[in-house]
C-alpha cells in the first residue's frame, strides 16, 4: 500500500514537474482546452437559464374562452355548466369582466386609458385547462367551444411556451453536439501534447524500462499529465463561463427591466461545474491513454 | 546464478551474433568476457539482462528461464540486476543525485531510505561531493562512476558492465576496475565485457570469437 501510494505521489510530482517545466506552453494548452470547453459550457448555462425562465411561467396548455360582450348572466352560467361537465376539461377558472377591469386599473400604465373608457370593455371569460394537452386535442376543444352560443372567441394559450420548449430542445441538442465535437477535439489536443511529451522523454522512458520500470510506472505520469491538463482546461472553461455570465448580467438585467421583470443570470451550478471538471479530466485521460498505447508500443 | 545452454542469437537478416553458447556462472564469481569488437560480448550481456531474447537455446538467470518469461515479469528481474551500459545511458537533464535515485524510485523505495542509499552509493564511487552536478559537468571517469553508482544502488546480486573502461585513461580505468573488484569482494556476482581484461582480477575468463566461446 505504501509503495503503491509512493508510486502515485511520485507520478503526480513528475507530472507537475513536466507541466511546470514549460509554463508558457502549459498556459497556452490550458487556454486552448479552456476555450474549447467554454463554448458548450456557456451554451449549457444559457439554456439552463432559459429553462429556468420558462419553468417559472405557466407552461400548462390552456384555452381562453371569451363570451360575447354583454352576454347575460344566464348564458354565461350555461357555458360554465357545459364546461364543468365536459369530459375534456380538467380545470376551470372563471374571470368575471368586473374583476378583469379592476385588475387592469391597478396597472399604472393602463389606468388612464381604462378610466377614459365609457364603460367596461371586457367580456366575461373562462380559463380552461384541458385533460389532454396535445395540440390536436386542444384544437378539437377550441372548435367545439366556438360553436357554443354567446361564445365570441376561443384562444389557445401557451403556444409560445411550447415553441420556446421546442427551441430549447433544439438548443440542447446543438449544445450536446458541440460538446461531443469539442470533446473529441480535447482528446486530440491531449493526444498530441502527450505524444510530444513521450518523444521528449524518450531517453528517460528507455532507461527506466532497462532499470526495471513497469508499464504502469512509465504510463502514470503521462496519464496524470493528461488529467491535470484536462481538469486545468476545465477550470479555465469554468472561469470563462463565470466571466461571460458577469459580462452578460448587466445587459440582460436592463432588458428584463424593460419587461418589468427581475432576472439574474445564474452561472453553472454545482452539478454542472462538477460535470465540466470531471468530463474534462476524463477526456484528458482518454487522450493520454490513446497516445501512450500508440507511442509506448514503439519502445518495446 | 547464470546458465547458458546451447544459446544462439541471430539478428535479421541472418547474422549470427552468438551460436551454440553453453556455460555457467556461479554466485559470487567475477567473470570477464573478452573478445574482439563484434565477438558478441554485448549481446551476451543483453541476453542476461533480458534486453534481447535468445533465438535458440535456454538462458537461466537466478533459476528463471528468460526465454519463457512474461513481459510483465521482466521489470522485476531487471531490478535484481545492476547494469552499466556501454553508452552509460545517463539522464542529462537530471543531476547526479536524481540519476542514482531513479532505480530506487522505480522500485518504490520510501524517499528518506532511498536518499540514504543514493548517498552511500555516491560515496562508494567517490562522487559524494558532486551530487548536485549535472552529468554534462562530469569528466568521462566520473560519468562512468555515476553509471556504476546507479547500477549498484539497488544492491543487486548480479552486476553487468559493458566496456566500463572504454575511452578512459589508464589511471581512471584502474579506479573503475577497483570499484568492480570491491563489489565482487562483498559477494556480488560480476560480469564484465571488456577488451581490457588485464585490469580486472577475474575469477574466470570467457573468450568469445565470432559469437563462439573459445576453449
Amino acid at each position: 500500500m505504501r509503495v503503491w501510494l509512493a508510486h502515485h505521489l511520485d507520478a503526480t510530482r513528475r507530472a507537475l514537474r513536466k507541466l511546470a517545466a514549460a509554463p508558457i506552453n502549459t498556459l497556452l494548452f490550458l487556454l486552448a482546452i479552456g476555450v474549447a470547453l467554454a463554448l458548450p459550457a456557456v451554451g449549457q448555462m444559457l439554456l439552463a437559464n432559459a429553462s429556468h425562465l420558462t419553468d417559472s411561467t405557466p407552461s400548462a396548455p390552456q384555452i381562453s374562452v371569451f363570451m360575447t360582450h354583454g352576454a347575460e348572466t344566464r348564458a354565461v352560467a350555461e357555458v360554465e355548466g357545459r364546461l364543468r361537465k365536459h369530459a375534456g376539461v380538467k380545470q376551470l377558472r372563471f374571470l368575471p369582466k368586473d374583476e378583469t377591469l379592476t385588475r387592469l386599473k391597478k396597472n399604472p400604465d393602463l389606468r388612464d386609458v381604462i378610466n377614459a373608457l365609457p364603460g367596461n370593455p371586457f367580456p366575461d371569460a373562462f380559463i380552461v385547462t384541458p385533460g389532454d394537452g396535445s395540440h390536436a386535442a386542444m384544437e378539437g376543444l377550441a372548435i367545439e367551444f366556438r360553436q357554443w352560443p354567446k361564445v365570441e372567441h376561443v384562444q389557445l394559450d401557451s403556444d409560445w411556451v411550447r415553441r420556446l420548449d421546442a427551441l430549447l430542445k433544439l438548443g440542447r441538442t446543438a449544445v450536446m453536439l458541440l460538446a461531443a465535437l469539442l470533446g473529441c477535439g480535447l482528446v486530440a489536443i491531449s493526444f498530441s501534447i502527450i505524444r510530444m511529451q513521450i518523444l521528449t522523454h524518450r531517453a528517460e522512458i528507455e532507461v527506466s524500462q532497462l532499470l526495471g520500470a513497469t508499464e504502469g510506472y512509465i504510463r502514470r505520469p503521462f496519464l496524470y499529465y493528461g488529467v491535470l491538463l484536462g481538469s486545468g482546461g476545465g477550470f479555465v472553461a469554468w472561469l470563462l463561463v463565470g466571466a461571460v455570465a458577469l459580462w452578460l448580467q448587466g445587459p440582460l438585467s436592463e432588458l428584463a427591466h424593460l419587461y418589468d421583470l427581475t432576472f439574474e443570470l445564474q452561472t453553472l451550478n454545482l452539478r454542472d461545474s462538477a460535470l465540466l471538471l470531471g468530463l474534462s479530466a476524463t477526456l484528458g485521460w482518454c487522450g493520454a491513454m490513446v497516445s501512450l498505447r500508440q507511442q509506448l508500443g514503439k519502445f518495446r | 546464478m547464470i546458465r547458458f545452454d546451447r544459446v544462439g542469437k541471430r539478428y535479421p537478416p541472418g547474422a549470427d551474433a552468438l551460436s551454440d553458447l553453453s556455460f555457467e556462472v556461479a554466485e559470487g564469481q567475477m567473470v570477464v568476457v573478452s573478445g574482439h569488437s563484434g565477438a558478441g560480448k554485448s549481446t551476451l550481456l543483453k541476453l542476461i539482462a533480458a534486453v534481447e531474447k535468445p533465438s535458440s537455446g535456454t538462458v537461466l538467470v537466478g533459476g528463471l528461464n528468460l526465454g519463457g518469461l512474461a513481459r510483465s515479469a521482466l521489470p522485476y528481474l531487471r531490478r535484481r540486476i545492476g547494469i552499466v551500459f556501454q553508452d552509460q545511458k545517463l539522464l542529462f537533464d537530471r543531476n547526479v543525485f536524481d540519476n542514482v535515485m531513479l532505480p530506487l524510485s522505480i522500485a518504490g523505495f520510501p524517499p528518506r531510505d532511498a536518499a540514504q542509499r543514493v548517498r552511500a552509493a555516491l560515496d562508494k564511487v567517490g562522487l559524494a561531493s558532486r551530487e548536485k552536478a549535472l552529468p554534462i559537468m562530469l569528466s568521462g571517469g566520473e560519468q562512468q562512476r555515476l553509471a556504476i553508482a546507479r547500477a549498484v544502488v539497488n544492491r543487486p546480486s548480479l552486476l553487468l558492465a559493458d566496456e566500463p573502461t572504454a575511452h578512459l585513461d589508464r589511471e581512471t580505468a584502474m579506479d573503475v576496475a577497483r570499484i568492480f573488484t570491491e563489489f565482487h569482494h562483498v559477494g556480488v556476482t560480476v560480469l564484465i565485457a571488456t577488451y581490457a581484461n588485464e585490469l580486472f582480477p577475474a575469477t574466470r575468463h570467457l573468450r568469445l570469437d565470432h559469437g563462439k566461446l573459445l576453449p
Side-chain angles (χ1 to χ4, degrees):
Chain A
M1 183 68 185
R2 265 179 66 189
V3 171
W4 180 86
L5 197 65
H7 270 151
H8 282 268
L9 281 174
D10 184 49
T12 312
R13 245 195 324 267
R14 284 190 288 152
L16 286 169
R17 214 181 293 149
K18 284 181 174 70
L19 283 168
I24 302 289
N25 280 2
T26 302
L27 273 177
L28 289 175
F29 290 151
L30 291 179
L31 205 61
I33 295 169
V35 170
L37 287 171
L39 289 171
V42 165
Q44 170 59 27
M45 177 191 71
L46 294 176
L47 283 172
N49 277 279
S51 294
H52 181 68
L53 197 66
T54 57
D55 286 349
S56 61
T57 59
S59 58
Q62 290 178 329
I63 303 168
S64 300
V65 179
F66 299 98
M67 303 301 292
T68 52
H69 188 68
E72 308 84 8
T73 316
R74 202 164 49 86
V76 174
E78 194 189 324
V79 169
E80 184 174 5
R82 280 189 179 198
L83 285 171
R84 289 206 185 280
K85 284 179 197 160
H86 200 290
V89 175
K90 188 179 164 192
Q91 261 183 359
L92 181 69
R93 188 156 61 96
F94 177 53
L95 283 177
K97 55 189 175 191
D98 296 334
E99 191 186 312
T100 309
L101 184 71
T102 314
R103 189 159 47 89
L104 288 174
K105 272 184 178 175
K106 284 180 187 165
N107 186 325
D109 294 336
L110 295 171
R111 191 183 301 141
D112 293 343
V113 181
I114 300 284
N115 285 336
L117 292 170
N120 185 349
F122 303 107
D124 289 315
F126 295 96
I127 307 295
V128 175
T129 306
D132 181 353
S134 71
H135 189 70
M138 286 178 70
E139 269 294 340
L141 286 176
I143 290 166
E144 188 185 342
F145 297 162
R146 278 188 197 114
Q147 288 162 0
W148 291 356
K150 299 290 181 184
V151 170
E152 175 80 34
H153 179 64
V154 178
Q155 184 184 306
L156 298 181
D157 294 334
S158 313
D159 268 6
W160 69 275
V161 174
R162 281 220 296 257
R163 285 190 201 110
L164 186 61
D165 270 346
L167 273 175
L168 285 176
K169 203 178 277 179
L170 183 69
R172 271 187 214 108
T173 311
V175 165
M176 291 288 280
L177 278 173
L178 191 67
L181 277 174
L182 292 170
C184 290
L186 198 157
V187 172
I189 293 173
S190 170
F191 173 87
S192 326
I193 295 171
I194 299 296
R195 183 176 168 275
M196 237 157 48
Q197 282 291 321
I198 292 170
L199 293 177
T200 309
H201 292 86
R202 191 187 177 111
E204 183 185 333
I205 293 169
E206 284 176 344
V207 170
S208 297
Q209 282 176 332
L210 289 169
L211 295 179
T214 57
E215 289 266 309
Y217 179 88
I218 289 165
R219 281 167 187 262
R220 238 174 266 131
F222 294 104
L223 286 174
Y224 281 22
Y225 187 93
V227 169
L228 286 171
L229 263 187
S231 50
F235 181 67
V236 171
W238 185 79
L239 289 177
L240 286 173
V241 172
V244 167
L246 211 64
W247 184 55
L248 286 178
Q249 180 61 54
L252 280 174
S253 294
E254 218 169 286
L255 183 70
H257 184 68
L258 294 175
Y259 288 92
D260 270 345
L261 293 168
T262 48
F263 178 70
E264 199 175 329
L265 190 67
Q266 302 289 321
T267 187
L268 293 179
N269 60 26
L270 192 68
R271 190 190 70 104
D272 286 344
S273 302
L275 195 69
L276 174 67
L277 288 174
L279 205 67
S280 54
T282 308
L283 290 173
W285 182 86
C286 285
M289 197 64 179
V290 176
S291 194
L292 284 165
R293 266 180 201 278
Q294 197 212 34
Q295 295 299 316
L296 288 188
K298 294 177 186 169
F299 292 177
R300 280 180 205 128
Chain B
M1 183 63 149
I2 300 167
R3 189 172 155 208
F4 272 51
D5 188 14
R6 308 199 67 177
V7 173
K9 178 66 189 175
R10 172 172 289 194
Y11 289 109
D16 277 331
L18 294 174
S19 57
D20 206 25
L21 213 62
S22 296
F23 67 89
E24 280 187 43
V25 175
E27 250 181 69
Q29 281 192 320
M30 183 167 184
V31 181
V32 164
V33 184
S34 59
H36 59 86
S37 178
K41 304 188 294 291
S42 296
T43 305
L44 188 142
L45 293 192
K46 282 177 184 169
L47 288 174
I48 296 170
V51 176
E52 303 275 5
K53 283 197 169 187
S55 308
S56 59
T58 312
V59 178
L60 291 168
V61 176
L64 289 171
N65 181 354
L66 303 192
L69 204 62
R71 209 177 69 204
S72 58
L74 269 182
Y76 303 98
L77 170 84
R78 286 187 186 151
R79 287 179 200 179
R80 289 161 49 194
I81 303 173
I83 312 171
V84 179
F85 301 98
Q86 191 170 8
D87 56 355
Q88 295 164 343
K89 296 196 188 298
L90 299 174
L91 297 176
F92 284 85
D93 58 342
R94 296 192 187 190
N95 63 26
V96 165
F97 184 91
D98 288 341
N99 264 281
V100 183
M101 180 63 113
L102 186 60
L104 300 176
S105 298
I106 289 169
F109 271 78
R112 195 177 297 175
D113 295 354
Q116 278 177 358
R117 279 197 178 207
V118 170
R119 294 206 168 94
L122 287 174
D123 191 41
K124 184 87 181 159
V125 299
L127 286 177
S129 59
R130 309 296 312 267
E131 68 173 56
K132 294 265 189 288
L134 288 172
I136 197 78
M137 296 155 74
L138 304 179
S139 66
E142 285 175 324
Q143 286 185 1
Q144 196 60 276
R145 282 188 275 150
L146 171 57
I148 296 169
R150 191 183 61 187
V152 299
V153 72
N154 247 343
R155 296 176 190 167
S157 51
L158 173 63
L159 182 58
L160 308 176
D162 194 1
E163 300 287 8
T165 54
H167 316 300
L168 299 181
D169 60 63
R170 178 108 190 136
E171 200 177 327
T172 315
M174 282 172 71
D175 266 355
V176 168
R178 182 186 46 79
I179 294 169
F180 281 104
T181 311
E182 282 173 14
F183 283 112
H184 162 59
H185 286 156
V186 292
V188 177
T189 310
V190 182
L191 242 95
I192 300 163
T194 182
Y195 67 94
N197 51 4
E198 74 284 356
L199 288 173
F200 298 92
T203 54
R204 190 165 166 208
H205 270 90
L206 294 173
R207 288 184 185 83
L208 287 174
D209 184 38
H210 292 100
K212 286 186 164 50
L213 204 56
L214 294 178

mmCIF file with all atom_site columns, all heavy atoms in Angstrom, chain B residues 66-78:
data_model
loop_
_atom_site.group_PDB
_atom_site.id
_atom_site.type_symbol
_atom_site.label_atom_id
_atom_site.label_alt_id
_atom_site.label_comp_id
_atom_site.label_asym_id
_atom_site.label_entity_id
_atom_site.label_seq_id
_atom_site.pdbx_PDB_ins_code
_atom_site.Cartn_x
_atom_site.Cartn_y
_atom_site.Cartn_z
_atom_site.occupancy
_atom_site.B_iso_or_equiv
_atom_site.pdbx_formal_charge
_atom_site.auth_seq_id
_atom_site.auth_comp_id
_atom_site.auth_asym_id
_atom_site.auth_atom_id
_atom_site.pdbx_PDB_model_num
ATOM 1  N N   . LEU B 1 66 ? 14.663 -17.142 -19.087 1.00 0.00 ? 66 LEU B N   1
ATOM 2  C CA  . LEU B 1 66 ? 14.330 -15.824 -19.639 1.00 0.00 ? 66 LEU B CA  1
ATOM 3  C C   . LEU B 1 66 ? 13.560 -15.922 -20.952 1.00 0.00 ? 66 LEU B C   1
ATOM 4  O O   . LEU B 1 66 ? 12.807 -15.008 -21.297 1.00 0.00 ? 66 LEU B O   1
ATOM 5  C CB  . LEU B 1 66 ? 15.589 -14.984 -19.843 1.00 0.00 ? 66 LEU B CB  1
ATOM 6  C CG  . LEU B 1 66 ? 16.445 -14.749 -18.602 1.00 0.00 ? 66 LEU B CG  1
ATOM 7  C CD1 . LEU B 1 66 ? 17.492 -13.678 -18.875 1.00 0.00 ? 66 LEU B CD1 1
ATOM 8  C CD2 . LEU B 1 66 ? 15.612 -14.323 -17.409 1.00 0.00 ? 66 LEU B CD2 1
ATOM 9  N N   . GLY B 1 67 ? 13.741 -17.026 -21.669 1.00 0.00 ? 67 GLY B N   1
ATOM 10 C CA  . GLY B 1 67 ? 13.026 -17.209 -22.946 1.00 0.00 ? 67 GLY B CA  1
ATOM 11 C C   . GLY B 1 67 ? 11.520 -17.276 -22.731 1.00 0.00 ? 67 GLY B C   1
ATOM 12 O O   . GLY B 1 67 ? 10.743 -16.808 -23.568 1.00 0.00 ? 67 GLY B O   1
ATOM 13 N N   . GLY B 1 68 ? 11.111 -17.839 -21.612 1.00 0.00 ? 68 GLY B N   1
ATOM 14 C CA  . GLY B 1 68 ? 9.671  -18.015 -21.362 1.00 0.00 ? 68 GLY B CA  1
ATOM 15 C C   . GLY B 1 68 ? 9.109  -17.010 -20.374 1.00 0.00 ? 68 GLY B C   1
ATOM 16 O O   . GLY B 1 68 ? 7.999  -17.175 -19.873 1.00 0.00 ? 68 GLY B O   1
ATOM 17 N N   . LEU B 1 69 ? 9.913  -15.993 -20.080 1.00 0.00 ? 69 LEU B N   1
ATOM 18 C CA  . LEU B 1 69 ? 9.480  -15.016 -19.062 1.00 0.00 ? 69 LEU B CA  1
ATOM 19 C C   . LEU B 1 69 ? 8.417  -14.068 -19.636 1.00 0.00 ? 69 LEU B C   1
ATOM 20 O O   . LEU B 1 69 ? 8.576  -13.543 -20.736 1.00 0.00 ? 69 LEU B O   1
ATOM 21 C CB  . LEU B 1 69 ? 10.706 -14.198 -18.626 1.00 0.00 ? 69 LEU B CB  1
ATOM 22 C CG  . LEU B 1 69 ? 10.637 -13.553 -17.246 1.00 0.00 ? 69 LEU B CG  1
ATOM 23 C CD1 . LEU B 1 69 ? 10.521 -14.582 -16.136 1.00 0.00 ? 69 LEU B CD1 1
ATOM 24 C CD2 . LEU B 1 69 ? 11.870 -12.687 -17.018 1.00 0.00 ? 69 LEU B CD2 1
ATOM 25 N N   . ALA B 1 70 ? 7.333  -13.904 -18.886 1.00 0.00 ? 70 ALA B N   1
ATOM 26 C CA  . ALA B 1 70 ? 6.268  -12.983 -19.333 1.00 0.00 ? 70 ALA B CA  1
ATOM 27 C C   . ALA B 1 70 ? 6.800  -11.555 -19.319 1.00 0.00 ? 70 ALA B C   1
ATOM 28 O O   . ALA B 1 70 ? 7.658  -11.219 -18.498 1.00 0.00 ? 70 ALA B O   1
ATOM 29 C CB  . ALA B 1 70 ? 5.077  -13.091 -18.406 1.00 0.00 ? 70 ALA B CB  1
ATOM 30 N N   . ARG B 1 71 ? 6.261  -10.721 -20.224 1.00 0.00 ? 71 ARG B N   1
ATOM 31 C CA  . ARG B 1 71 ? 6.717  -9.330  -20.304 1.00 0.00 ? 71 ARG B CA  1
ATOM 32 C C   . ARG B 1 71 ? 6.503  -8.596  -18.980 1.00 0.00 ? 71 ARG B C   1
ATOM 33 O O   . ARG B 1 71 ? 7.303  -7.750  -18.585 1.00 0.00 ? 71 ARG B O   1
ATOM 34 C CB  . ARG B 1 71 ? 5.977  -8.613  -21.434 1.00 0.00 ? 71 ARG B CB  1
ATOM 35 C CG  . ARG B 1 71 ? 6.816  -7.508  -22.043 1.00 0.00 ? 71 ARG B CG  1
ATOM 36 C CD  . ARG B 1 71 ? 6.140  -6.850  -23.189 1.00 0.00 ? 71 ARG B CD  1
ATOM 37 N NE  . ARG B 1 71 ? 4.992  -6.081  -22.737 1.00 0.00 ? 71 ARG B NE  1
ATOM 38 C CZ  . ARG B 1 71 ? 3.955  -5.758  -23.484 1.00 0.00 ? 71 ARG B CZ  1
ATOM 39 N NH1 . ARG B 1 71 ? 3.901  -6.195  -24.734 1.00 0.00 ? 71 ARG B NH1 1
ATOM 40 N NH2 . ARG B 1 71 ? 2.958  -5.051  -23.023 1.00 0.00 ? 71 ARG B NH2 1
ATOM 41 N N   . SER B 1 72 ? 5.417  -8.975  -18.299 1.00 0.00 ? 72 SER B N   1
ATOM 42 C CA  . SER B 1 72 ? 5.108  -8.286  -17.038 1.00 0.00 ? 72 SER B CA  1
ATOM 43 C C   . SER B 1 72 ? 6.110  -8.642  -15.934 1.00 0.00 ? 72 SER B C   1
ATOM 44 O O   . SER B 1 72 ? 6.222  -7.933  -14.937 1.00 0.00 ? 72 SER B O   1
ATOM 45 C CB  . SER B 1 72 ? 3.686  -8.632  -16.599 1.00 0.00 ? 72 SER B CB  1
ATOM 46 O OG  . SER B 1 72 ? 3.575  -10.029 -16.464 1.00 0.00 ? 72 SER B OG  1
ATOM 47 N N   . ALA B 1 73 ? 6.827  -9.770  -16.103 1.00 0.00 ? 73 ALA B N   1
ATOM 48 C CA  . ALA B 1 73 ? 7.789  -10.182 -15.070 1.00 0.00 ? 73 ALA B CA  1
ATOM 49 C C   . ALA B 1 73 ? 9.171  -9.577  -15.294 1.00 0.00 ? 73 ALA B C   1
ATOM 50 O O   . ALA B 1 73 ? 10.008 -9.579  -14.384 1.00 0.00 ? 73 ALA B O   1
ATOM 51 C CB  . ALA B 1 73 ? 7.881  -11.703 -15.051 1.00 0.00 ? 73 ALA B CB  1
ATOM 52 N N   . LEU B 1 74 ? 9.402  -9.063  -16.499 1.00 0.00 ? 74 LEU B N   1
ATOM 53 C CA  . LEU B 1 74 ? 10.727 -8.522  -16.849 1.00 0.00 ? 74 LEU B CA  1
ATOM 54 C C   . LEU B 1 74 ? 11.216 -7.423  -15.900 1.00 0.00 ? 74 LEU B C   1
ATOM 55 O O   . LEU B 1 74 ? 12.375 -7.460  -15.460 1.00 0.00 ? 74 LEU B O   1
ATOM 56 C CB  . LEU B 1 74 ? 10.701 -7.948  -18.267 1.00 0.00 ? 74 LEU B CB  1
ATOM 57 C CG  . LEU B 1 74 ? 11.071 -8.897  -19.407 1.00 0.00 ? 74 LEU B CG  1
ATOM 58 C CD1 . LEU B 1 74 ? 11.046 -8.152  -20.719 1.00 0.00 ? 74 LEU B CD1 1
ATOM 59 C CD2 . LEU B 1 74 ? 12.457 -9.466  -19.163 1.00 0.00 ? 74 LEU B CD2 1
ATOM 60 N N   . PRO B 1 75 ? 10.368 -6.429  -15.585 1.00 0.00 ? 75 PRO B N   1
ATOM 61 C CA  . PRO B 1 75 ? 10.857 -5.348  -14.715 1.00 0.00 ? 75 PRO B CA  1
ATOM 62 C C   . PRO B 1 75 ? 11.405 -5.863  -13.389 1.00 0.00 ? 75 PRO B C   1
ATOM 63 O O   . PRO B 1 75 ? 12.412 -5.341  -12.885 1.00 0.00 ? 75 PRO B O   1
ATOM 64 C CB  . PRO B 1 75 ? 9.608  -4.487  -14.481 1.00 0.00 ? 75 PRO B CB  1
ATOM 65 C CG  . PRO B 1 75 ? 8.740  -4.749  -15.655 1.00 0.00 ? 75 PRO B CG  1
ATOM 66 C CD  . PRO B 1 75 ? 8.996  -6.173  -16.021 1.00 0.00 ? 75 PRO B CD  1
ATOM 67 N N   . TYR B 1 76 ? 10.755 -6.885  -12.834 1.00 0.00 ? 76 TYR B N   1
ATOM 68 C CA  . TYR B 1 76 ? 11.170 -7.380  -11.517 1.00 0.00 ? 76 TYR B CA  1
ATOM 69 C C   . TYR B 1 76 ? 12.509 -8.111  -11.605 1.00 0.00 ? 76 TYR B C   1
ATOM 70 O O   . TYR B 1 76 ? 13.297 -8.089  -10.667 1.00 0.00 ? 76 TYR B O   1
ATOM 71 C CB  . TYR B 1 76 ? 10.062 -8.249  -10.923 1.00 0.00 ? 76 TYR B CB  1
ATOM 72 C CG  . TYR B 1 76 ? 8.771  -7.451  -10.830 1.00 0.00 ? 76 TYR B CG  1
ATOM 73 C CD1 . TYR B 1 76 ? 7.784  -7.571  -11.803 1.00 0.00 ? 76 TYR B CD1 1
ATOM 74 C CD2 . TYR B 1 76 ? 8.597  -6.503  -9.823  1.00 0.00 ? 76 TYR B CD2 1
ATOM 75 C CE1 . TYR B 1 76 ? 6.631  -6.801  -11.761 1.00 0.00 ? 76 TYR B CE1 1
ATOM 76 C CE2 . TYR B 1 76 ? 7.453  -5.720  -9.764  1.00 0.00 ? 76 TYR B CE2 1
ATOM 77 C CZ  . TYR B 1 76 ? 6.468  -5.877  -10.737 1.00 0.00 ? 76 TYR B CZ  1
ATOM 78 O OH  . TYR B 1 76 ? 5.347  -5.093  -10.699 1.00 0.00 ? 76 TYR B OH  1
ATOM 79 N N   . LEU B 1 77 ? 12.768 -8.767  -12.755 1.00 0.00 ? 77 LEU B N   1
ATOM 80 C CA  . LEU B 1 77 ? 14.070 -9.398  -12.964 1.00 0.00 ? 77 LEU B CA  1
ATOM 81 C C   . LEU B 1 77 ? 15.145 -8.323  -13.071 1.00 0.00 ? 77 LEU B C   1
ATOM 82 O O   . LEU B 1 77 ? 16.215 -8.419  -12.443 1.00 0.00 ? 77 LEU B O   1
ATOM 83 C CB  . LEU B 1 77 ? 14.042 -10.236 -14.261 1.00 0.00 ? 77 LEU B CB  1
ATOM 84 C CG  . LEU B 1 77 ? 15.415 -10.732 -14.700 1.00 0.00 ? 77 LEU B CG  1
ATOM 85 C CD1 . LEU B 1 77 ? 15.780 -12.014 -13.960 1.00 0.00 ? 77 LEU B CD1 1
ATOM 86 C CD2 . LEU B 1 77 ? 15.501 -10.961 -16.197 1.00 0.00 ? 77 LEU B CD2 1
ATOM 87 N N   . ARG B 1 78 ? 14.841 -7.267  -13.837 1.00 0.00 ? 78 ARG B N   1
ATOM 88 C CA  . ARG B 1 78 ? 15.853 -6.225  -14.081 1.00 0.00 ? 78 ARG B CA  1
ATOM 89 C C   . ARG B 1 78 ? 16.200 -5.465  -12.798 1.00 0.00 ? 78 ARG B C   1
ATOM 90 O O   . ARG B 1 78 ? 17.304 -4.934  -12.677 1.00 0.00 ? 78 ARG B O   1
ATOM 91 C CB  . ARG B 1 78 ? 15.358 -5.258  -15.152 1.00 0.00 ? 78 ARG B CB  1
ATOM 92 C CG  . ARG B 1 78 ? 15.413 -5.904  -16.524 1.00 0.00 ? 78 ARG B CG  1
ATOM 93 C CD  . ARG B 1 78 ? 15.092 -4.939  -17.602 1.00 0.00 ? 78 ARG B CD  1
ATOM 94 N NE  . ARG B 1 78 ? 15.008 -5.637  -18.883 1.00 0.00 ? 78 ARG B NE  1
ATOM 95 C CZ  . ARG B 1 78 ? 14.251 -5.246  -19.881 1.00 0.00 ? 78 ARG B CZ  1
ATOM 96 N NH1 . ARG B 1 78 ? 13.511 -4.172  -19.781 1.00 0.00 ? 78 ARG B NH1 1
ATOM 97 N NH2 . ARG B 1 78 ? 14.232 -5.923  -21.014 1.00 0.00 ? 78 ARG B NH2 1
#
